[in-house]
Amino acid sequence: MFTRFAALIASQLEHHVELEHEHRELLDERATSELREQFIAILGHDLRNPLHAVYASSDKLQRKLTDPDLLLLAAGSKPT
């Protein structure tokens, strides 16, 4: 009976260690996910302004140009 009780305690301790390990892994995954979300948000914000400047410049060029080939270039197409 003592051997069975010791085996039961050992099994319970192993289960507890496994649960703690899984809990740490879950916390690590959550932290990684949060960092990923922050990175994407920062990247989106940092790219928005330069891309908007390029877009605005292209839009202004399209409105000012009269040469059809240059107008196509400003629109992002290649002249034929």
Side-chain angles (χ1 to χ4, degrees):
M1 186 164 162
F2 183 73
T3 306
R4 288 184 180 169
F5 187 64
L8 181 64
I9 291 173
S11 174
Q12 186 65 25
L13 289 173
E14 287 175 10
H15 181 69
H16 184 69
V17 168
E18 287 177 15
L19 283 176
E20 284 181 5
H21 180 70
E22 290 175 0
H23 182 69
R24 270 189 253 115
E25 285 181 349
L26 179 62
L27 291 177
D28 288 345
E29 284 295 322
R30 285 182 181 168
T32 300
S33 177
E34 185 177 323
L35 284 173
R36 185 180 303 115
E37 292 295 322
Q38 288 176 355
F39 174 76
I40 290 170
I42 290 169
L43 183 64
H45 181 268
D46 288 351
L47 286 177
R48 187 178 307 126
N49 289 337
L51 289 177
H52 182 69
V54 170
Y55 173 78
S57 299
S58 173
D59 187 49
K60 188 172 184 174
L61 275 175
Q62 285 178 357
R63 286 186 272 126
K64 297 285 183 178
L65 294 175
T66 56
D67 183 355
D69 288 339
L70 292 177
L71 187 58
L72 282 173
L73 282 174
S77 302
K78 294 180 181 178
T80 55

